[in-house]
Amino acid sequence: MPIDPLGCLLAREGGTEDAAEMTLQELVNQAAGLHSARKAVWFDECNGRPPAAHTYGSMVKLAGELTAFLQKHCEQQGQRGIGLYCSPGINLPSWILGILQVPAAYSPIDPDAPSMLSTHFMRRSNLQYVLVENDKVNKFQMSHAGWFCPSSSTVEHIGLTLFQRSSSSSDSNAQADSVRSDCQPVEATGDLQPALIPHPDQAQVSTAGGGYVDVGQECSLAYILHTSGTTGIPKIVRVPHKCIVPNIQHLQSLFEVTQDDVLFLASPLTFDPSVVELFVALASGASVLIVPNTIKMMPVELSAALFHHHHVTVLQATPTLLRRFGAPIIKSTVLSANTSLRVLALGGEAFPALQLLRSWKHKENRTSIFNLYGITEVSSWATCYKVPEEAFSADFRADLPVPLGSPLLGTRVEVRDGSGAAVLEGEGQVFIGKVDVSELNRTYQQHLSCRRRGRKLSGTQELWARLQYSWQAVLGGLGDPTGIPKDAVFLDSGGDSLKALRLHEELELLAGRAVPGLLEAILSCSIEGVYRHILKILFPEEEQLMNCASAVKRKQRGKSGEELHSKHTKLEAGRGPQAAAESSPLLALSRGNHLLSRNFHKPLLQPRNAAQAGVELPQQAPSLHAVTPGTLQSPTEGSERAAGQAGGPDRRCAQHSRAAGVELCLRWKANTGKCVDASPLVVIPSAQAAAVYVGSHSHTMQAIDLESGERRWEKTLGDRIESSACVSKCGGFLVVGCYDGLVYVLQSSDGEVHWTFATEDAVKSSAVVDPSSGVAYIGSHDQHVYALDIYQKACVWKVHCNSGAVFSSPCLSSAPHHLYVATLGGLLLAVNPVTGSTLWKSSLGKPLFSSPHCNEQCVCVGCVDGNLYCYTHAGEKAWQLATGGPVFSSPCISSLTQQEVFVGSHDCFIYCCSTEGTLLWKFKATASVYGAPFVFQSDGPQSRVLLAAVSTDGRVWILNARSGRAEGAHKLPGEVFSSPVVWGTKLVVGCRNDYVYCLDVCTAGGKSS
């Protein structure tokens, strides 16, 4: 390892006998005795409410109650390690402290990790007991059915339920463990004696005295973690108190932490720096600040919480977390002249270049910056280096590397050459303590090199192996990665949009740089195609590799006989095809209250919806009729509504509906052959029966009678269909995109192909039709949006978005005449629908899976950064509303209410806000909400506006659109990513169990109408 000129890597072995004998809980209890009334923990949800807090006294009291509970209900041999399955919250330090005082090692388990990874970790750690946060009990039971069973007792006021390992799983685990008892020899040189190091899952750990401790000394363990698996199969690491306590005490001293400091819990519990963040604070009488995981992904909200509301003074973080703030926030807040931050300690990844830090740091900033080095296998940090203030001056050489620094208390670090001689200048292997950990160091260097921008992987074989492992880990499997078929498609293998984002992030870290088009490849290509896509970026010399295996087939399909390139024509504003002019009246409804109407005079929708669509509509909303009450599954979740004035900071939970106001009954279901992710299109011709049009993964497009559920026709296309269909202006055609890269125009009467248009990649976007010109607009994964004249069979124009694939559907505004497009590169564009010229664009920084939706005043779109954004038609950001998770749902805006905006989030809530951005209410569903809500109106004596929404667990919700109160619910037997559409008394939605469902929606307790 190079010895950098800023300071030598010194060998030092130290530590005191007292430090080695102390435990983490003793450090905390010692501080609590001195600072009982001081605040120990702050938990801020960053939602406008006052943060929750615990004093040292209340924290220790809760911990003591949990300790007593565990000592009573856990058998002694099961107390060596106790799992903790929870999210960050106000009671987290008490829970950890309560486990340590048993005494037992705490073993954090991430509820958001793939269940197979968690099960693998719990089995290999031989955990007999797991404490589960009460609101995650159902998730834990579903993910680990058969492995754990709930204990007869819970700790209700602390918020935990105790689960015990089932006897059958314990027996099978014991047999498996007996097979894994072999040891692997590791080379030792110099004065170090040859040693045997056990299997990586049972590795020995260096201690404060410079030796190592046998992991059989279970009573000395502080915590049990697993490595990330980035550099191979995750390894179990068991860390004794005598390893971590000196780390804590030395960093307390280096950072000069006092009871006046506030430290931020930046790391997840499964990442060992979290141990340092928690116990450096709690051993010093200082405060630790905890926020929800989703807030850590929101730079604006996070910086406000840390530096404006809580005045954090010590921040230990990865360079990635720091960069996530962005240069403007770092300069204006984090490293500004008047920042509250005293200490910034960066570790876990390659240290940022001095030149970059200098550009961020205000010349009057006095924050001390440290470089921390270490890996999980050697108990958090091993070395520390304080960057001298002069390194940030203009005359200092900014191209010099930042050294690792000196060993922490109790850690011996040496650099030796191949013969075992100490290296004072030059390169060599790193030795920590008295164990040769050169192999661990090489692993860590691989870990760093994979995350260092501008660096490449060692070769194609390494890329392929690690791609397979990451693929399987994100999907929740830990079997043999070589068993993944080369033609495996991520979305067909159990993946979804959120998992695709996780894989995208992991692969870009693996590549050490941004990989343009990677997210699109994950969503469209096979694993071999993803591999080749990365190869083209990282190893351009591999010219013999073919293009992505799942790329679009560039050949004409259908019966139109058109050339692939398709001619371009000029579109004149206001021009409409003759066929449309002579069309019959019709009304078409699709997800999110999108509608198209022509000469339709039945009472349907209020006029403001018509203005939104640019057409004239009658005056009454879709109605549902009252029937005799029947049995209805009662809603199990509640809603929150702002108390007092709308947008007030205090919210209260609405009362659960005791008597269901709406009954949902199955009217019919239609088998499509494979899962239905597309949303239905309902078309109501004035002189014919209404029809439902929907496609599925079976490659088929179906027309289904809305009343009876009978199939009118079925047409097989070239690949699977996730695009929702759109009806033409005349009503005679359907426009739908397909994974084969083609846009199909089908005759609505019989499904026969009228025309196909070839794009250059998969089409998942849904088309939208201009009611005045008849032109259809649709996006493609080739990063273009197309304007198609389906009557002239011509492409009017195409626009390259220059920022990722167009996954979502365009949105058309009539006044002003704008077309809104969102991309996976995080770009929101306003395009002139006539010419295709870009009117304005705004970069949101994160992928946009959500489709934009607009009214006369604004356009709204959801983002995976957890925000709902609103822009004026002039391109100015009007407001943003923070949710608790990524927003894949498309917003719904309806004039049936007061132009409120409704949207779902991955955090399991459905949100309602005003068009000024004020939160009016939010309703907690039983799972994430990906589909767009749909607003409709009931009929009868108690006419009210209702909202239909679906959560991914298959539950269909009917809510009061004004209050957020649950009126009714129905559970479908499969996951749902489709969006509901309501017409009259019928709700139609697709399901991933291969069926399309039609439910009768009727008021309960009213008179028949």
Side-chain angles (χ1 to χ4, degrees):
M1 176 171 290
I3 304 301
D4 299 320
L6 283 177
C8 291
L9 184 63
L10 303 176
R12 185 179 72 191
E13 185 173 9
T16 65
E17 194 71 22
D18 290 340
E21 292 177 356
M22 290 286 284
T23 62
L24 292 176
Q25 61 267 30
E26 287 171 345
L27 292 178
V28 176
N29 285 318
Q30 192 176 72
L34 299 172
H35 309 287
S36 177
R38 293 188 67 88
K39 292 292 191 293
V41 189
W42 292 96
F43 178 64
D44 194 341
E45 295 186 76
C46 303
N47 58 2
R49 297 177 180 174
H54 269 318
T55 64
Y56 273 87
S58 61
M59 177 187 70
V60 169
K61 181 177 182 293
L62 282 173
E65 294 173 0
L66 178 59
T67 300
F69 171 84
L70 293 173
Q71 289 172 337
K72 177 181 178 181
H73 292 92
C74 298
E75 297 177 4
Q76 188 169 359
Q77 69 258 26
Q79 294 177 2
R80 295 171 179 175
I82 297 177
L84 183 57
Y85 186 92
C86 69
S87 296
I90 183 62
N91 290 330
L92 176 61
S94 295
W95 294 344
I96 292 175
L97 191 59
I99 295 173
L100 291 173
Q101 291 175 163
V102 170
Y106 75 93
S107 187
I109 304 162
D110 184 3
D112 294 325
S115 59
M116 288 296 291
L117 178 61
S118 300
T119 301
H120 171 83
F121 170 57
M122 290 187 288
R123 289 179 61 186
R124 301 300 291 272
S125 302
N126 197 27
L127 294 182
Q128 299 300 312
Y129 295 96
V130 177
L131 285 167
V132 179
E133 193 172 0
N134 283 347
D135 64 1
K136 292 177 173 53
V137 165
N138 289 339
K139 183 175 184 178
F140 182 81
Q141 288 178 311
M142 291 176 62
S143 301
H144 307 289
W147 282 96
F148 286 88
C149 53
S151 170
S152 58
S153 302
T154 59
V155 201
E156 290 293 344
H157 67 288
I158 299 182
L160 295 172
T161 299
L162 180 65
F163 280 75
Q164 184 175 3
R165 185 75 163 270
S166 63
S167 57
S168 59
S169 63
S170 298
D171 293 342
S172 62
N173 187 63
Q175 294 174 3
D177 286 344
S178 67
V179 179
R180 298 188 296 265
S181 59
D182 57 322
C183 296
Q184 302 171 357
V186 175
E187 178 186 0
T189 58
D191 63 340
L192 300 181
Q193 298 300 314
L196 290 179
I197 289 188
H199 188 280
D201 284 0
Q202 299 172 340
Q204 293 161 330
V205 183
S206 59
T207 70
Y212 58 86
V213 61
D214 189 328
V215 295
Q217 300 174 4
E218 300 281 1
C219 61
S220 67
L221 293 183
Y223 56 90
I224 305 172
L225 297 176
H226 63 81
T227 59
S228 65
T230 306
T231 56
I233 299 297
K235 295 181 286 292
I236 306 301
V237 180
R238 299 169 171 87
V239 179
H241 288 278
K242 61 175 64 178
C243 269
I244 190 62
V245 166
N247 218 282
I248 300 296
Q249 292 178 322
H250 197 176
L251 290 173
Q252 274 182 281
S253 174
L254 290 174
F255 299 163
E256 300 178 354
V257 180
T258 72
Q259 65 268 24
D260 297 320
D261 281 302
V262 180
L263 287 80
F264 174 52
L265 182 61
S267 307
L269 288 184
T270 51
F271 187 34
D272 57 325
S274 65
V275 183
V276 173
E277 292 158 4
L278 277 171
F279 288 97
V280 165
L282 299 179
S284 307
S287 299
V288 61
L289 170 65
I290 303 174
V291 302
N293 288 329
T294 51
I295 299 298
K296 297 176 185 177
M297 303 298 294
M298 304 176 186
V300 175
E301 289 81 358
L302 182 60
S303 64
L306 264 58
F307 304 109
H308 297 312
H309 302 154
H310 296 277
H311 308 290
V312 166
T313 58
V314 179
L315 174 61
Q316 175 191 267
T318 60
T320 294
L321 188 145
L322 179 64
R323 290 190 184 97
R324 193 177 292 150
F325 284 115
I329 292 179
I330 296 175
K331 292 177 181 179
S332 66
T333 305
V334 183
L335 295 176
S336 64
N338 58 351
T339 182
S340 62
L341 194 63
R342 289 194 309 103
V343 172
L344 175 62
L346 299 175
E349 299 169 358
F351 195 81
L354 278 177
Q355 187 173 2
L356 181 61
L357 279 174
R358 183 188 297 169
S359 69
W360 288 340
K361 200 170 188 285
H362 192 280
K363 62 181 180 180
E364 296 180 8
N365 174 269
R366 293 295 176 261
T367 302
S368 297
I369 299 180
F370 293 81
N371 181 22
L372 296 171
Y373 167 83
I375 52 177
T376 301
E377 291 89 334
V378 291
S379 65
S380 200
W381 307 123
T383 65
C384 179
Y385 178 79
K386 182 178 180 180
V387 182
E389 192 61 36
E390 56 267 22
F392 300 105
S393 61
D395 55 353
F396 192 88
R397 284 186 58 188
D399 59 337
L400 294 175
V402 176
L404 300 182
S406 300
L408 292 174
L409 183 66
T411 307
R412 180 182 178 185
V413 181
E414 291 182 0
V415 179
R416 298 182 178 183
D417 60 21
S419 63
V423 176
L424 299 179
E425 185 175 355
E427 298 185 4
Q429 291 182 328
V430 172
F431 287 70
I432 300 179
K434 290 186 178 180
V435 180
D436 179 357
V437 292
S438 57
E439 186 62 33
L440 296 180
N441 183 66
R442 282 195 294 272
T443 297
Y444 184 63
Q445 289 307 309
Q446 291 173 5
H447 174 84
L448 290 184
S449 66
C450 288
R451 282 156 169 73
R452 192 174 297 124
R453 293 195 175 274
R455 295 291 299 274
K456 296 180 179 180
L457 289 163
S458 62
T460 58
Q461 289 184 345
E462 182 188 4
L463 171 62
W464 177 242
R466 293 170 71 176
L467 167 61
Q468 290 180 93
Y469 179 80
S470 297
W471 179 285
Q472 209 168 43
V474 170
L475 290 176
L478 281 175
D480 179 9
T482 61
I484 303 175
K486 289 186 177 182
D487 60 353
V489 177
F490 188 76
L491 293 179
D492 284 343
S493 305
D496 55 32
S497 301
L498 186 63
K499 290 178 180 177
L501 287 173
R502 290 174 179 166
L503 182 60
H504 172 259
E505 181 179 359
E506 182 64 28
L507 293 181
E508 284 205 335
L509 288 174
L510 184 68
R513 55 168 291 181
V515 181
L518 177 58
L519 183 57
E520 292 88 333
I522 293 170
L523 291 168
S524 300
C525 297
S526 64
I527 186 172
E528 185 178 25
V530 174
Y531 167 68
R532 289 172 173 166
H533 181 88
I534 300 173
L535 274 186
K536 287 189 293 184
I537 304 297
L538 300 186
F539 302 96
E541 67 277 7
E542 302 283 340
E543 295 180 358
Q544 71 275 19
L545 291 177
M546 58 195 293
N547 289 334
C548 174
S550 296
V552 62
K553 307 168 184 65
R554 298 172 178 269
K555 63 180 181 179
Q556 175 70 17
R557 301 206 177 185
K559 302 179 180 179
S560 67
E562 293 292 319
E563 295 293 330
L564 275 182
H565 59 268
S566 296
K567 62 181 180 180
H568 290 236
T569 61
K570 182 178 180 181
L571 175 68
E572 299 176 4
R575 182 179 66 88
Q578 185 66 26
E582 299 173 354
S583 62
S584 301
L586 85 154
L587 180 75
L589 295 171
S590 57
R591 62 179 182 175
N593 284 83
H594 287 283
L595 60 94
L596 176 70
S597 173
R598 180 172 179 82
N599 302 328
F600 202 89
H601 298 298
K602 290 178 86 171
L604 287 175
L605 297 173
Q606 292 181 344
R608 275 183 290 185
N609 264 347
Q612 182 177 324
V615 294
E616 180 182 354
L617 290 178
Q619 305 295 312
Q620 187 178 339
S623 63
L624 69 95
H625 302 290
V627 296
T628 304
T631 303
L632 175 68
Q633 186 173 355
S634 299
T636 58
E637 303 295 329
S639 64
E640 295 182 66
R641 182 173 179 85
Q645 295 296 322
D650 298 321
R651 301 187 197 96
R652 57 181 174 82
C653 268
Q655 293 295 319
H656 292 180
S657 176
R658 294 296 180 185
V662 170
E663 179 182 2
L664 294 128
C665 303
L666 178 64
R667 184 180 184 88
W668 53 257
K669 63 178 182 178
N671 191 349
T672 68
K674 278 195 176 179
C675 60
V676 185
D677 285 338
S679 299
L681 167 71
V682 177
V683 178
I684 306 100
S686 62
Q688 301 175 30
V692 177
Y693 300 95
V694 69
S696 76
H697 286 207
S698 66
H699 305 188
T700 62
M701 190 74 194
Q702 292 189 1
I704 305 168
D705 187 277
L706 178 61
E707 289 290 332
S708 65
E710 294 181 0
R711 184 184 305 162
R712 294 184 181 178
W713 55 256
E714 180 178 78
K715 182 68 176 178
T716 300
L717 307 187
D719 208 330
R720 72 178 183 179
I721 305 165
E722 289 188 5
S723 168
S724 301
C726 173
V727 71
S728 64
K729 175 182 177 180
C730 66
F733 303 108
L734 303 173
V735 183
V736 65
C738 184
Y739 260 61
D740 63 2
L742 299 180
V743 179
Y744 288 81
V745 181
L746 309 177
Q747 295 177 177
S748 59
S749 59
D750 55 14
E752 290 303 308
V753 175
H754 167 73
W755 179 51
T756 59
F757 175 81
T759 73
E760 297 180 10
D761 209 334
V763 181
K764 305 179 187 180
S765 171
S766 302
V768 60
V769 166
D770 190 325
S772 58
S773 68
V775 170
Y777 303 94
I778 195 167
S780 168
H781 268 241
D782 66 7
Q783 303 190 24
H784 287 83
V785 61
Y786 296 88
L788 304 178
D789 189 329
I790 63 174
Y791 302 99
Q792 299 296 323
K793 299 182 179 180
C795 177
V796 180
W797 53 254
K798 67 176 182 178
V799 173
H800 191 276
C801 298
N802 296 309
S803 182
V806 182
F807 179 93
S808 62
S809 306
C811 173
L812 190 66
S813 166
S814 60
H817 198 204
H818 288 177
L819 182 74
Y820 294 106
V821 182
T823 76
L824 292 185
L827 201 64
L828 178 65
L829 302 96
V831 177
N832 186 316
V834 177
T835 65
S837 60
T838 300
L839 302 172
W840 57 262
K841 57 185 177 181
S842 178
S843 177
L844 300 181
K846 292 289 184 180
L848 299 174
F849 286 87
S850 170
S851 299
H853 197 168
C854 64
N855 63 6
E856 301 95 322
Q857 290 81 34
C858 60
V859 56
C860 296
V861 68
C863 181
V864 300
D865 67 1
N867 286 293
L868 173 67
Y869 289 93
C870 178
Y871 283 80
T872 68
H873 289 296
E876 298 177 354
K877 188 169 80 170
W879 49 264
Q880 67 186 69
L881 176 74
T883 75
V887 180
F888 297 105
S889 166
S890 300
C892 165
I893 308 175
S894 173
S895 61
L896 289 178
T897 55
Q898 299 299 316
Q899 291 286 339
E900 286 98 345
V901 184
F902 305 90
V903 72
S905 173
H906 186 72
D907 66 359
C908 306
F909 278 95
I910 300 163
Y911 292 81
C912 172
C913 67
S914 69
T915 49
E916 288 76 39
T918 302
L919 179 65
L920 302 178
W921 56 258
K922 63 178 184 178
F923 173 86
K924 187 175 183 182
T926 48
S928 301
V929 180
Y930 281 16
F934 194 97
V935 178
F936 62 104
Q937 188 168 4
S938 69
D939 200 357
Q942 296 180 335
S943 177
R944 59 199 185 280
V945 180
L946 301 175
L947 181 79
V950 290
S951 46
T952 54
D953 61 355
R955 196 174 296 272
V956 181
W957 301 96
I958 304 297
L959 309 179
N960 186 304
R962 301 192 189 281
S963 67
R965 184 171 63 92
E967 301 280 350
H970 183 87
K971 182 70 169 61
L972 297 178
E975 290 185 309
V976 176
F977 291 83
S978 174
S979 300
V981 174
V982 180
W983 168 250
T985 62
K986 303 171 189 67
L987 182 151
V988 186
V989 69
C991 185
R992 301 204 94 189
N993 72 338
D994 306 346
Y995 283 84
V996 179
Y997 286 86
C998 179
L999 304 177
D1000 277 323
V1001 186
C1002 306
T1003 57
K1007 297 180 180 179
S1008 298
S1009 173

